[in-house]
Amino acid sequence: EGMRALLRMALLYPDDKMKYLRRFRELWGYIKRYVIDQDGVWLGVGLDSRPHRGKQAKATPWKEPSHEVHSLLGCIRLLRLVQ
């Protein structure tokens, strides 16, 4: 959801000193590096803060992919408007 919020702000305030589009790119870089594992599964927490999570079960009763999918689809729609 943070990615979608940053993209929305980039659309609303493209010249803002907060540089929302740059911050979106930084967040996406973090996610690719620390949250998405080698199988493409989004972990519940970044491996930089909890490296042992990469060795634990990927699914739990409280973790399912609908949030990631919803966020990414929203980002795709917004990126089409930003670029």
Side-chain angles (χ1 to χ4, degrees), residues 7-8 10-12 21 74-83:
L7 283 175
R8 282 188 185 137
L11 280 170
L12 291 171
L21 188 57
C75 286
I76 289 168
R77 285 191 291 271
L78 290 170
L79 281 169
R80 289 181 178 149
L81 298 172
V82 171
Q83 298 180 7

Side-chain angles (χ1 to χ4, degrees), residues 53-67:
R53 288 298 300 259
K55 296 181 172 94
Q56 294 178 339
K58 295 178 186 181
T60 71
W62 300 103
K63 169 123 177 25
E64 48 82 31
S66 68
H67 295 284

Side-chain angles (χ1 to χ4, degrees), residues 12-72:
L12 291 171
Y13 307 104
D15 299 321
D16 193 276
K17 65 180 179 175
M18 293 300 294
K19 310 244 183 270
Y20 295 109
L21 188 57
R22 185 187 73 191
R23 293 183 187 278
F24 163 81
R25 289 185 182 121
E26 290 170 355
L27 179 56
W28 179 235
Y30 172 84
I31 290 168
K32 289 191 303 185
R33 183 170 183 177
Y34 295 111
V35 178
I36 301 174
D37 75 1
Q38 69 275 4
D39 299 318
V41 176
W42 288 47
L43 303 172
V45 66
L47 293 176
D48 59 326
S49 63
R50 296 194 184 151
H52 66 281
R53 288 298 300 259
K55 296 181 172 94
Q56 294 178 339
K58 295 178 186 181
T60 71
W62 300 103
K63 169 123 177 25
E64 48 82 31
S66 68
H67 295 284
E68 290 91 344
V69 170
H70 181 58
S71 180
L72 289 172

